[in-house]
Amino acid sequence: MSSEKINAGGKNAQPGAKAKKPNIGFLSSIIAVIIGLIVGFIILMISNPQQAPAGFATILTGSFTHGLKGVGQIFYYATPIILTGLSVGFAFNTGLFNIGAPGQFMVGGLGAVIIGITCTFFGPLQWVAALLGGMAMGMLWGAVPGFLKAYFNVNEVIASIMMNYIGMYATNWTVKSNPVLFNSLRNESKSVAATANLPKMGFDKLFPGSSLNAGFVIAVLAVILIYILLYKTKFGYELKACGYNRFASKYAGINEKKNIMMAMVIAGALSGLAGAIVMLAGSGSHISIKDVIAAEGFTGISVALLGLSHPFGVLASGIFIAYLTAGGFYLQLFQFSTEIIDIIVAVIIYFSAFALFVRIVIDRISKKKEIAAGDGKGGDGK
């Protein structure tokens, strides 16, 4: 009888635990969004109390100001941050913090620009070659901190930060020192060939006037592929196992060094792909020669945190953040300066990191309640 009760209790407890965690994660993200919006409203009130309510309403609805064009722009803005968020989230799932997404994003854009300008012999497939070139550059930039972590136990955060600055300066130097790539009149890279621009795939007709292109489809496919890789394959299981405990994984026969390397390489490829898509958008995107690290990479960290590092969560949070960003552009109609818009959007985006803290707190409260309930039952049994 006792063994039957234990088995029954185990069966009943396990599904309950599995059903509870997603609810906690979802709740923490919702709380983070609400707090971020409240902070944004407070900033609006401090700046211009009379226009604050109308301005706040614009943040929530401004994306639809231009109808289908506005909707298309939401997906366009979401594309790169979905991929950088997927990159950071993928690394999180393997126990690594890929703060090097900005550098991987920039060198990915550089690889795409080089192929997009010089390799016209690819003809109509030039955009495919440029995307692959961007991914290859991102993989290289991710492989360096991955190698240092795997073989020398160098903290990947420190190594990735260094690679961000190396990537920024290397990109600027490569473009500026090459007359084939550099437009000296505008201090930026030249435009890629027409055959290197991403195809519209009918989005120009579905969302007329928007910049949406095949990049969004590629981002969604990447989300699906990463989900399958992480949750449906043996390789994904090994990657996550190494993230939980690399020493236990090694004892179980998993090559932890190879998996750490591969995790950072895949993460780098995703960020590199994001940079390539931006440079091949055909909407006047160029590499500007300035000492600024790509914001899309850091935004990807917030997207991953808000999406709880789950591929489909990253997709949803990327679209949500892009929605707020697109709506924030119309705040100027209510006499709010551009700097105020940037502050509000930044607070909302970066406050999403609070989701992780909220989740930890909720988990601890839940565990304490479970322990207290267990002690109470144990006392009754005695």
Side-chain angles (χ1 to χ4, degrees):
M1 286 292 292
S2 61
S3 63
E4 290 178 1
K5 287 181 180 179
I6 292 172
N7 290 337
K11 289 179 182 178
N12 292 333
Q14 191 174 0
K18 285 185 178 179
K20 190 175 184 180
K21 287 184 179 179
N23 292 335
I24 293 174
F26 179 74
L27 179 62
S28 66
S29 295
I30 294 297
I31 292 173
V33 169
I34 292 173
I35 294 175
L37 290 173
I38 290 172
V39 172
F41 181 72
I42 291 172
I43 293 175
L44 285 174
M45 287 293 294
I46 294 172
S47 175
N48 190 339
Q50 293 181 347
Q51 296 288 349
F56 186 72
T58 299
I59 294 177
L60 300 179
T61 62
S63 300
F64 299 107
T65 300
H66 289 113
L68 290 176
K69 176 184 177 181
V71 175
Q73 289 301 99
I74 293 172
F75 295 132
Y76 172 72
Y77 296 137
T79 299
I81 61 175
I82 288 173
L83 287 169
T84 54
L86 194 62
S87 170
V88 176
F90 178 82
F92 277 156
N93 276 293
T94 63
L96 300 168
F97 187 12
N98 180 32
I99 202 171
Q104 297 152 13
F105 177 92
M106 287 184 288
V107 298
L110 173 64
V113 165
I114 292 173
I115 295 176
I117 293 176
T118 62
C119 300
T120 54
F121 52 83
F122 282 111
L125 295 178
Q126 189 178 6
W127 66 273
V128 178
L131 285 179
L132 293 176
M135 291 180 67
M137 290 291 288
M139 291 169 69
L140 174 63
W141 239 246
V144 174
F147 174 79
L148 294 175
K149 174 70 174 180
Y151 290 93
F152 300 99
N153 201 28
V154 176
N155 190 292
E156 74 276 8
V157 174
I158 296 174
S160 296
I161 290 174
M162 295 300 101
M163 292 302 291
N164 283 342
Y165 285 96
I166 294 171
M168 178 185 68
Y169 289 117
T171 298
N172 289 345
W173 176 81
T174 302
V175 172
K176 198 167 185 178
S177 63
N178 193 328
V180 177
L181 305 177
F182 187 52
N183 182 351
S184 57
L185 296 178
R186 300 178 64 89
N187 198 36
E188 63 185 18
S189 63
K190 295 180 180 178
S191 300
V192 299
T195 49
N197 289 325
L198 293 172
K200 291 292 186 179
M201 295 186 68
F203 288 127
D204 53 338
K205 296 180 176 61
L206 187 60
F207 303 102
S210 73
S211 305
L212 189 61
N213 53 45
F216 182 72
V217 176
I218 295 171
V220 173
L221 290 176
V223 168
I224 296 171
L225 289 175
I226 293 300
Y227 171 78
I228 294 172
L229 174 64
L230 281 174
Y231 299 101
K232 303 296 181 181
T233 66
K234 177 184 175 183
F235 178 53
Y237 173 81
E238 291 181 351
L239 287 173
K240 290 187 291 183
C242 289
Y244 286 123
N245 192 321
R246 61 181 295 188
F247 302 107
S249 300
K250 182 179 180 180
Y251 181 78
I254 298 174
N255 189 335
E256 87 285 2
K257 293 182 179 179
K258 183 193 79 171
N259 281 286
I260 290 173
M261 277 281 295
M262 289 303 300
M264 288 301 293
V265 165
I266 294 172
L270 292 168
S271 292
L273 177 61
I277 286 175
V278 169
M279 289 300 125
L280 304 177
S283 57
S285 297
H286 303 86
I287 298 175
S288 298
I289 309 302
K290 53 186 179 181
D291 297 342
V292 177
I293 294 178
E296 291 88 346
F298 290 119
T299 304
I301 298 174
S302 299
V303 170
L305 290 171
L306 186 61
L308 304 174
S309 297
H310 190 283
F312 293 116
V314 167
L315 175 64
S317 62
I319 293 174
F320 174 72
I321 289 175
Y323 174 82
L324 293 178
T325 304
F329 291 149
Y330 297 98
L331 280 174
Q332 298 175 78
L333 299 175
F334 298 92
Q335 300 176 359
F336 289 104
S337 65
T338 305
E339 289 75 13
I340 294 295
I341 296 171
D342 294 338
I343 292 172
I344 293 171
V345 173
V347 168
I348 293 172
I349 290 174
Y350 287 104
F351 210 87
S352 64
F354 189 70
L356 182 62
F357 172 75
V358 172
R359 187 179 184 186
I360 293 172
V361 171
I362 294 175
D363 279 336
R364 287 180 178 176
I365 294 173
S366 300
K367 287 178 182 178
K368 286 181 179 179
K369 289 182 178 179
E370 289 175 4
I371 292 171
D375 291 342
K377 290 180 181 177
D380 294 338
K382 288 179 181 179

